[in-house]
Amino acid sequence: MSAAARDAALDMPPEEFRRLGHDLVDRISDFLASLQDKPVTPAESGELVRSALKADRGLPEEGRDASDVLSNATTLLFEHSLLNGHPRFLGYITSSAAPIGALGDLLAAAVNANVGAWTLAPIATEIEKQTVRWIAELMGYSESAGGLLVSGGNMANFVCFLAARTAKMGTSVRTHGINREPAQRFTVYASAETHTWIQKAADLSGLGTDAIRWIPVDRQQRMDVDALRRQIEADSAEGHTPFLVVGTAGSVSTGAVDPLRAIGELCRERDLWFHVDGAYGALAAALPGAAGIDDLQAIAEADSVAVDPHKWLYAPLEVGCALVRRPEHLSDTFAYRPPYYHFDADTLNYVDYGPQNSRGFRALKVWLALQEAGRSGYVRMLSDDIGLARRLYENVQRDPRFEALTHSLSITTFRYIPGDLVDRIEEPDVQTYLNRLNQDVLTRVEQSGAAFLSNAVINGTFALRACVVNFRTAAADMDALPDFVAAIGQQSDERLRASGSGPGPSTGRESRRSY
Ligand SMILES: *Cc1c(COP(=O)(O)O)cnc(C)c1O
């Protein structure tokens, strides 16, 4: 080792970085340009993927040329990935990622700001603050709200959940834990359609999942507020302590928006913490003409909100955002003053706002996209996504091969129904068969590579589900989908019946199709 410069295995001469970076960006550009011509997924077996990776090889003893390593990784990823940026990727709630976000992540990693403390990341901390405020502004939430970016909706909800716990139980809960008899539980209220984050949060926070009161939903999959009130009253009468109600703005299955206005009023009346899980749908509050806009605007009344920039802000994974109306609830919940940190107490140190310590610069990709699109750009993209989901709903509604089930925000659910079963869907063995058939259709659609859907289960009915959080999806994709799915449906139906799995013969009973 010379005294002037070390020879370190990972140090890269600037000229080499420049060359490799340009090559990589060129290959990424070609990849993005060719997305729509590729299958949505290669649908390969695990064996094939592992063999492409040479999964069993040991840790290399000697290093290799960076250009080989990168070029190999690029090829592997481009050839063996599910492409959620594909225009016909409509599964789950996973958005296409804005290209500027990829550049943002590269830039963030190059600077490597540690956004745990202001001193370590002065400009990055201020950018995150501005980003959080802009997200709040976009959905009409209080601009004096405190918030931070986390890995996703689960973590964002969890942060808000813990903030509610300390706000309502006092900061002593952090040292004493929840030491009360089960007969005097702290209880939490959420609709039966709430995402599974709430079970993890109840468990991890020490409440236990028994503390969750699952409130039934109405036909539109929205929380029944009368049932909520009755449950709260019953629990109080039994000596429990209700403290938190979770309303969902855009449920994961059908995009349903709970009656947030009424839930907020009930929470105020009874001094309960009102949290909104808007991981998917909260940003629709920015759309003046959106269906259910009054409830979306009631997000402004919430004590805390979780919203996912890696969903409807189209940021590359991972980034979720937790917002709490009064920032001190975050520091009350998370701040410690360890002797080994000498951070200025008058500046914002994100270590004090959440569970993480070292933190990456997640804000940059979001901040860049918010500026590139502006509010108007986002309003148009979100409205277009909703319009496309509605178009699909209308397409399947007028198509006798399908039953249109739900449309809310940018999620449409429907199912394939063979012609001879249209008038028999109330018969129990036909219901069972249709569930089986549509599961098979879903598997085959996903494996086709031509489009990607996921599913919902609505009152026991297995539904195909398209969720458009994808700025590359166009009307033509929505118009092509019914014929494509129906063709697969017909094949599935023929195969299932040929294998003896079809429904029994008609019982001859008249049964009306229900809508
Ligand atoms: C996606 C989603 C979550 C979970 O968010 P992640 O980013 O996947 O952790 C929670 N709630 C709702 C309503 C969601 O749509």
Side-chain angles (χ1 to χ4, degrees):
M1 189 163 95
S2 85
R6 263 176 75 177
D7 173 24
L10 285 178
D11 204 9
M12 186 181 282
E15 271 319 308
E16 188 183 357
F17 185 87
R18 189 184 308 277
R19 187 169 47 78
L20 296 185
H22 280 283
D23 285 352
L24 180 61
V25 168
D26 285 344
R27 288 191 66 184
I28 294 172
S29 306
D30 293 344
F31 166 74
L32 293 177
S34 68
L35 273 179
Q36 69 209 37
D37 307 319
K38 292 175 182 286
V40 184
T41 167
E44 296 165 325
S45 68
E47 202 183 342
L48 215 149
V49 176
R50 286 188 291 275
S51 102
L53 175 62
K54 301 190 187 74
D56 293 336
R57 83 199 137 122
L59 171 70
E61 178 59 34
E62 298 299 330
R64 265 168 76 196
D65 195 36
S67 110
D68 278 0
V69 180
L70 261 178
S71 156
N72 177 45
T74 310
T75 305
L76 276 176
L77 284 165
F78 289 174
E79 291 183 359
H80 304 281
S81 289
L82 173 139
L83 307 176
N84 53 34
H86 191 291
R88 286 184 301 282
F89 178 84
L90 305 167
Y92 304 98
I93 308 179
T94 301
S95 63
S96 52
I100 198 168
L103 296 173
D105 266 354
L106 174 62
L107 177 58
V111 177
N112 197 30
N114 184 338
V115 200
W118 199 93
T119 326
L120 300 179
I123 187 69
T125 299
E126 293 301 331
I127 287 175
E128 180 160 341
K129 249 160 86 177
Q130 189 173 59
T131 305
V132 168
R133 187 167 52 77
W134 284 353
I135 292 171
E137 184 184 333
L138 188 54
M139 57 189 187
Y141 196 62
S142 164
E143 286 179 45
S144 59
L148 81 167
L149 300 180
V150 290
S151 58
N154 262 32
M155 286 311 295
N157 284 303
F158 188 47
V159 165
C160 296
F161 188 101
L162 290 175
R165 187 192 59 159
T166 30
K168 296 298 178 189
M169 299 179 196
T171 50
S172 69
V173 72
R174 297 177 66 195
T175 41
H176 299 155
I178 298 163
N179 279 324
R180 290 216 280 178
E181 297 302 309
Q184 296 181 308
R185 283 186 181 285
F186 285 102
T187 47
V188 180
Y189 302 78
S191 97
E193 288 295 302
T194 305
H195 187 277
T196 182
W197 71 267
I198 192 158
Q199 280 128 316
K200 294 190 180 184
D203 176 358
L204 292 171
S205 65
L207 281 174
T209 53
D210 286 351
I212 305 171
R213 302 295 191 246
W214 298 101
I215 307 301
V217 293
D218 64 16
R219 287 184 57 80
Q220 280 89 48
Q221 311 291 300
R222 294 154 43 96
M223 185 193 282
D224 174 346
V225 183
D226 290 332
L228 170 67
R229 178 184 289 278
R230 285 194 302 274
Q231 183 69 52
I232 290 171
E233 286 168 358
D235 285 334
S236 301
E238 283 187 27
H240 296 307
T241 309
F243 79 103
L244 164 65
V245 181
V246 176
T248 294
S251 69
V252 62
S253 288
T254 64
V257 178
D258 279 334
L260 299 177
R261 182 76 63 195
I263 295 172
E265 280 163 13
L266 182 56
C267 287
R268 247 195 323 281
E269 177 193 316
R270 303 197 64 110
D271 193 27
L272 305 173
W273 185 279
F274 174 33
H275 171 67
V276 173
D277 175 6
Y280 157 51
L283 292 156
L287 311 175
I293 188 65
D294 183 58
D295 282 314
L296 289 166
Q297 285 173 348
I299 291 172
E301 310 293 319
D303 295 299
S304 58
V305 189
V307 56
D308 256 351
H310 70 205
K311 287 180 175 167
W312 235 350
L313 285 180
Y314 315 100
L317 295 161
E318 309 166 336
V319 55
C321 179
L323 286 161
V324 171
R325 171 187 307 289
R326 297 188 26 223
E328 64 270 25
H329 286 310
L330 290 178
S331 40
D332 283 353
T333 302
F334 293 105
Y336 289 97
R337 295 271 177 266
Y340 44 84
Y341 286 158
H342 285 278
F343 301 139
D344 183 349
D346 294 334
T347 58
L348 172 57
N349 300 306
Y350 276 115
V351 283
D352 294 340
Y353 265 28
Q356 271 187 276
N357 191 65
S358 294
R359 301 173 70 245
F361 190 14
R362 293 196 166 90
L364 184 59
K365 56 195 171 191
V366 184
W367 186 68
L368 290 170
L370 283 168
Q371 292 174 89
E372 190 192 12
R375 174 196 287 271
S376 68
Y378 269 110
V379 164
R380 211 152 61 80
M381 288 187 288
L382 268 58
S383 308
D384 287 350
D385 281 351
I386 292 174
L388 289 168
R390 187 182 313 113
R391 186 180 183 109
L392 176 63
Y393 184 81
E394 286 162 2
N395 285 344
V396 290
Q397 202 173 28
R398 73 169 82 88
D399 187 328
R401 300 170 295 184
F402 295 99
E403 181 181 18
L405 291 165
T406 65
H407 165 246
S408 184
L409 297 179
S410 68
I411 296 177
T412 287
T413 64
F414 59 102
R415 62 178 176 164
Y416 174 73
I417 304 203
D420 64 323
L421 299 183
V422 167
D423 292 323
R424 295 179 52 198
I425 61 174
E426 302 288 339
E427 296 175 22
D429 70 325
V430 170
Q431 288 176 19
T432 306
Y433 176 67
L434 288 175
N435 283 354
R436 165 108 201 259
L437 171 62
N438 280 277
Q439 284 176 44
D440 192 60
V441 171
L442 177 63
T443 306
R444 285 167 198 286
V445 168
E446 288 182 350
Q447 284 171 354
S448 73
F452 199 97
L453 302 173
S454 56
N455 78 281
V457 176
I458 306 165
N459 302 325
T461 295
F462 185 94
L464 305 173
R465 171 182 171 286
C467 174
V468 190
V469 280
N470 190 337
F471 56 81
R472 293 195 182 91
T473 306
D477 298 307
M478 297 291 100
D479 295 348
L481 203 59
D483 278 348
F484 169 71
V485 176
I488 288 189
Q490 194 185 340
Q491 290 163 18
S492 283
D493 183 39
E494 282 166 8
R495 206 175 19 246
L496 285 176
R497 292 193 202 206
S499 71
S501 313
S506 172
T507 58
R509 263 203 329 266
E510 278 299 300
S511 68
R512 276 186 312 113
R513 182 166 177 172
S514 67
Y515 287 93

